[in-house]
Amino acid sequence: APSEAYPNAADIPAATLKLAGRRLSMEVEVHAALRTAVPLPGRLPVWSPLAVQVDDQPGVALRRDDGFLWVVVPEGVHRVRVEGLLAATGDWEWTFLLKPRRVTVEAPDWTFSGVRADGVPDPQVFFTPRQRAAPGNADPAASPDSYERQELNPIVAVDRRLELGLIWQVRTTVRRLSPSGKAVSLKLPLLPGENVISANAVVRDGFIEVRLGAQDAEFQWEGGLTVTNQITLATRPADAWVEHWHLVASPVWNVTLSGLAPVFEPEAAELIPVWNPWPGESVALQISRPEAIAGATVTVSRASHEVSLGKRQRTSRLELLLRCSLGEDFAVELPAGAEVTELTHSGRPIPVRLEGRKLVVPLRPGEQSLAIAWKVPEPLGLRAAAGEIRLPVDSANIHTQITVPDDRWILGAAGPLRGPAVRFWGILICSLLAAVALGRLRSSPLRVWEWMLLVIGLTQVPLAAGLVVVGWLFLLVGRAHPGFQRLDPRIYNLSQGVLVLVTLIAVVVLLVAVGEGLLGSPEMFIRGNGSTRAALRWYLDRSGALLPRPVCYSISIWWFRFLMLLWALWLASSLIRWLQTAWRSFGMGGYLQPMRTQKPQPAPPPVVPAQ
């Protein structure tokens, strides 16, 4: 089993690197908790070891693994000295598998980066020679026949993506364009007002240090931008990299472009401007906020107001479909004495906040729904109107419904034009006019006032059934006419049968009318916008801040039953008289007449000639 000291069995507190031309010398201090192997700084084969000593002793165990040189050290504190030779390369990176806590670099002929002021190294330290080796240099490492030539510089592309929204930020990606295998170290300028927020980013004097290892393909960082009226994107003539700029601006900003014209990538889903500048080109962005237009920030696209009438109190429910451009408080003014029983915002219950008669609801930007339920202690009388509800803005598509109890007799309704109409009164007036006309006929069986009382009750049955009763009464008059007895016996008998059948139908119709009046619900012929006698519905396409207040007129259904009882008593007495008249008329001339048969004529006597 491995020791409990692993994986922290060894540490490198300090390391010293000295470079003289291509000569490399490292002195590494190693602290080991037990006998173990330690990877030395520097990835192979950029450098090659010539001599390795541990505590000035040359006999050490070495191993090449994971691209590093491993040395075996016993337990304790040791100093490892390494002599080596750099390969024929220009820029190179000093990397660590076990990173020293502090490093010291002495390289007068090299420019390096990746070591902080306190000596703490970054994951890689990059070296660049101060002067290129001349072709006639005697250094064999700088031979022009070597595979990696010093005059070839790596090429990278810097892609800056500016995002201007509620928060301004820039995302930058540095991609390697040249082949891998060579380290890259650059100092890239930041944009004006850019504040790098990515971790492990080294920023000095408005520049960020970018380091790509030999096998690294890209480097990224994020930064915030200061909100300003102008941003200038520019490249310098001496820049040795390729720049790409992308601009993604929110609709809350107006951006005016000047300078280098942008292009638009056809394969991109969004149509955003892109610049591919050459060294020395620039773009100026003038940024301003759109001027706000005075108007409401909340739109009520649909409102539904339902009122349920009760004997002692009324319950109401208001549902609103809202669209908001800004988050704000939405105040709904409820009727006086309203007690809120339910409040939901987009299907979720929220606390009730009342300020007098106003119910204040916090809204968020976007589309949302609001449902409010309340009750008001108000007895039901002749006139019942929807509660007074006032919104802070105008409304559209307002639906109002009043639910009437079954024990109420609806007399009328008023409200928006698209709503219910109680057609009973128009039918009653037409029926009374018809009754006056029937009563003035010469052969009328009833007087005018009797026709008027009769048609009032017949309004509760279908028109065809009422016409049967009217026709039956006129048939009785026709049956009593003297000319009826002179009819052919077959027609006479058939007419008697028809009279019996019509009498039965008329009696049944009258009984049904009495039953509907005493036991059923009054038929008030309520039509319009899907309304019924139990639910009156109105619709208005647009309303002001005050929602519509339709009105319903109703009384107790027992008034209807009482009037129908009086009508039934009158009908009963009248029907007895009508049936007596019908029976007398039915028996005039006999109930049925025998069918007549034609007798044969006797033959005349024979004529006897005279003698």
Side-chain angles (χ1 to χ4, degrees), residues 262-523:
V263 296
F264 298 92
E265 299 177 348
E267 66 275 4
E270 300 177 353
L271 194 65
I272 60 176
V274 180
W275 291 269
N276 299 315
W278 285 18
E281 295 182 330
S282 63
V283 175
L285 309 179
Q286 299 290 337
I287 305 170
S288 61
R289 279 189 176 273
E291 296 183 2
I293 299 177
T297 57
V298 179
T299 300
V300 180
S301 56
R302 188 179 188 277
S304 177
H305 183 202
E306 299 181 5
V307 181
S308 296
L309 304 179
K311 293 182 178 180
R312 296 291 181 267
Q313 68 178 10
R314 298 178 187 178
T315 59
S316 302
R317 182 177 180 85
L318 177 64
E319 295 182 358
L320 302 176
L321 183 61
L322 307 171
R323 292 182 181 179
C324 305
S325 58
L326 297 175
E328 61 182 63
D329 287 341
F330 188 78
V332 181
E333 186 175 343
L334 300 178
E339 179 183 352
V340 179
T341 58
E342 180 186 355
L343 177 60
T344 59
H345 181 220
S346 296
R348 296 178 298 178
I350 60 175
V352 177
R353 175 185 164 193
L354 281 173
E355 297 180 359
R357 289 177 51 184
K358 293 185 177 181
L359 176 65
V360 181
V361 181
L363 301 182
R364 54 174 176 76
E367 187 177 53
Q368 55 211 289
S369 61
L370 184 65
I372 309 170
W374 68 91
K375 59 183 179 180
V376 179
E378 185 174 352
L380 182 58
L382 172 64
R383 183 181 183 274
E388 181 179 348
I389 302 174
R390 190 179 298 273
L391 304 180
V393 295
D394 294 348
S395 308
N397 301 318
I398 304 99
H399 300 261
T400 309
Q401 175 177 316
I402 297 181
T403 302
V404 184
D406 294 336
D407 59 353
R408 300 295 293 183
W409 180 16
I410 299 177
L411 302 179
L417 293 180
R418 187 171 178 180
V422 181
R423 300 167 59 187
F424 170 78
W425 304 111
I427 294 175
L428 179 61
I429 292 174
C430 293
S431 301
L432 293 176
L433 293 177
V436 173
L438 291 175
R440 293 184 178 276
L441 293 177
R442 181 175 299 179
S443 60
S444 174
L446 303 179
R447 286 168 289 186
V448 174
W449 67 271
E450 291 178 320
W451 280 114
M452 296 177 69
L453 290 177
L454 178 62
V455 298
I456 289 176
L458 292 180
T459 55
Q460 300 301 303
V461 296
L463 178 61
L467 293 177
V468 170
V469 176
V470 175
W472 170 65
L473 293 174
F474 278 96
L475 283 178
L476 295 181
V477 175
R479 175 63 182 83
H481 195 274
F484 190 84
Q485 282 75 23
R486 295 192 296 267
L487 294 176
D488 186 85
R490 287 174 294 183
I491 299 177
Y492 182 92
N493 296 337
L494 179 62
S495 300
Q496 290 287 85
V498 171
L499 182 60
V500 172
L501 179 61
V502 174
T503 302
L504 293 177
I505 296 175
V507 172
V508 171
V509 169
L510 294 175
L511 292 177
V512 170
V514 172
E516 288 294 325
L518 296 178
L519 302 177
S521 300
E523 177 57 60

Side-chain angles (χ1 to χ4, degrees), residues 18-25 50 83-86 110:
K18 297 181 180 180
L19 293 177
R22 296 293 176 181
R23 294 287 178 175
L24 177 148
S25 175
L50 299 179
E83 298 289 339
L85 185 65
L86 287 176
W110 298 81

